[in-house]
Amino acid sequence: PPLYYLLATPIYRLSDGNLEALRLFSIAIGTVIVLCAYGVGWVMFRERPWIALAMAAFVAFQPMHVMFLASVNNDALGWAIVALILLASVIYVKAEDTQSKIPEWLLGLLVGIGLITKATTYMMAGVVVVAILLRWWSSTDRQVGVLVRRLAWYLVPALAFGLLWWGRNILLYGFPD
């Protein structure tokens, strides 16, 4: 999928293909993963902020993780999208009022961006469905219509991105891609 390479193109051109500049770009994207790890810990354990810090440190100092972030490929952006989806899903489920601070369409947009970033992000489509189900199940308004509406708001943007990419691949390579 093309998103990482589209985002890296201006850096490639401005730096005349300098490998260190491209690696710094990947590392900058990787900081999103560390910040999201902190965010998940903070949302889940607000009364114990040291847990959020420990989660961020654990993610930041994994040797293989650092090695992947220092390379020029779409892994950094793929895992950053996974981290953003996880953080958004946790905020969505943990929202205490009836109106989540994270709308379903934003979850769908993040999953859709993942679909055009890296195949390893595809698993997050199911995580978001579980988050929507958990939020619906814990609400006082458990009408099936509410659940269907929430799922539709999620699926439309996610599938819009995915279908564009998959449709392009089917046209180029035939079915099944």
Side-chain angles (χ1 to χ4, degrees):
L3 186 59
Y4 172 83
Y5 304 103
L6 288 173
L7 294 175
T9 298
I11 292 159
Y12 180 85
R13 291 200 175 177
L14 288 172
S15 70
D16 281 333
N18 183 288
L19 185 58
E20 281 136 15
L22 292 166
R23 285 182 172 177
L24 286 172
F25 172 67
S26 288
I27 290 169
I29 291 172
T31 60
V32 171
I33 302 167
V34 176
L35 293 173
C36 286
Y38 180 86
V40 168
W42 186 78
V43 170
M44 296 293 294
F45 306 103
R46 284 186 195 197
E47 65 284 348
R48 293 183 230 143
W50 62 269
I51 292 177
L53 188 58
M55 288 174 66
F58 181 76
V59 169
F61 297 112
Q62 294 252 343
M64 199 65 165
H65 178 71
V66 173
M67 187 273 304
F68 274 113
L69 293 180
S71 63
V72 179
N73 64 44
N74 59 359
D75 285 319
L77 186 58
W79 289 113
I81 297 297
V82 166
L84 285 168
I85 294 169
L86 181 62
L87 177 58
S89 296
V90 168
I91 292 170
Y92 177 82
V93 170
K94 295 282 285 182
E96 296 181 14
D97 57 14
T98 56
Q99 294 294 327
S100 172
K101 294 176 182 149
I102 304 289
E104 291 86 6
W105 65 263
L106 182 57
L107 293 169
L109 181 66
L110 288 170
V111 168
I113 290 170
L115 295 177
I116 62 169
T117 301
K118 189 152 179 84
T120 54
T121 67
Y122 290 12
M123 65 184 171
M124 296 309 289
V127 170
V128 172
V129 169
V130 170
I132 292 171
L133 287 170
L134 285 171
R135 178 72 189 260
W136 173 76
W137 186 258
S138 65
S139 73
T140 56
D141 189 10
R142 273 195 242 152
Q143 297 175 359
V144 175
V146 171
L147 176 62
V148 170
R149 189 170 37 256
R150 289 179 181 179
L151 287 171
W153 274 107
Y154 156 64
L155 287 172
V156 168
L159 289 177
F161 279 89
L163 290 174
L164 285 173
W165 179 245
W166 299 322
R168 173 226 174 245
N169 287 349
I170 289 170
L171 289 173
L172 281 176
Y173 306 115
F175 183 83
D177 171 22

